[in-house]
Amino acid sequence: QVQLVEAGGELVQAGGSLRLSCAASGRTSTLYDMGWFRQAPGKVREFVAAITWGRGTTEYADSVKGRFTISRDNAKLMVYLQMSSLKPEDTANYYCAGRVVAGSQYNYWGQGTQVTVSS
């Protein structure tokens, strides 16, 4: 099993920046990559960004490209999402997720951290 705990969500003004963190524990050696997802009230959960543990290959949703940066610290088993130029439409509950097999569904999820961007 893998446990994921997010932190860093808060209220921020539009145009501001925020860094989310995700701490991974347990059988983390089984993980291929980590992702960030978000879900706004009344909307489906959507992919935000992902990064592989090995090569650090990254992937982003078009809506956040150029504004968000995902990174990882293999030694600390941490994954980060640096968010800048935040917009009110970025308001959502942000979830960290871990996946064992590339291209498959994510196996492990954190409890989420709320990001609210005020206009």
Side-chain angles (χ1 to χ4, degrees):
Q1 288 285 10
V2 173
Q3 293 78 43
L4 303 173
V5 179
E6 305 95 333
E10 62 181 62
L11 173 64
V12 63
Q13 288 191 332
S17 298
L18 201 59
R19 188 177 83 156
L20 305 183
S21 63
C22 173
S25 61
R27 298 185 63 189
T28 57
S29 62
T30 64
L31 297 176
Y32 168 74
D33 70 353
M34 299 288 291
W36 283 98
F37 291 76
R38 66 186 182 186
Q39 186 168 20
K43 295 188 176 181
V44 298
R45 184 169 58 195
E46 64 175 356
F47 170 77
V48 176
I51 187 168
T52 61
W53 280 111
R55 295 189 175 188
T57 303
T58 58
E59 182 181 359
Y60 295 93
D62 288 342
S63 58
V64 306
K65 279 181 182 177
R67 300 189 300 122
F68 291 11
T69 301
I70 189 171
S71 62
R72 89 272 193 247
D73 185 326
N74 290 50
K76 295 182 179 179
L77 298 177
M78 296 289 294
V79 177
Y80 306 97
L81 186 67
Q82 178 67 47
M83 306 184 292
S84 61
S85 302
L86 283 163
K87 307 174 182 179
E89 50 263 44
D90 293 318
T91 295
N93 204 3
Y94 283 71
Y95 297 89
C96 175
R99 180 167 57 180
V100 175
V101 177
S104 68
Q105 292 188 349
Y106 280 81
N107 308 92
Y108 305 103
W109 295 85
Q111 82 289 350
T113 186
Q114 178 67 37
V115 173
T116 303
V117 184
S118 64
S119 56

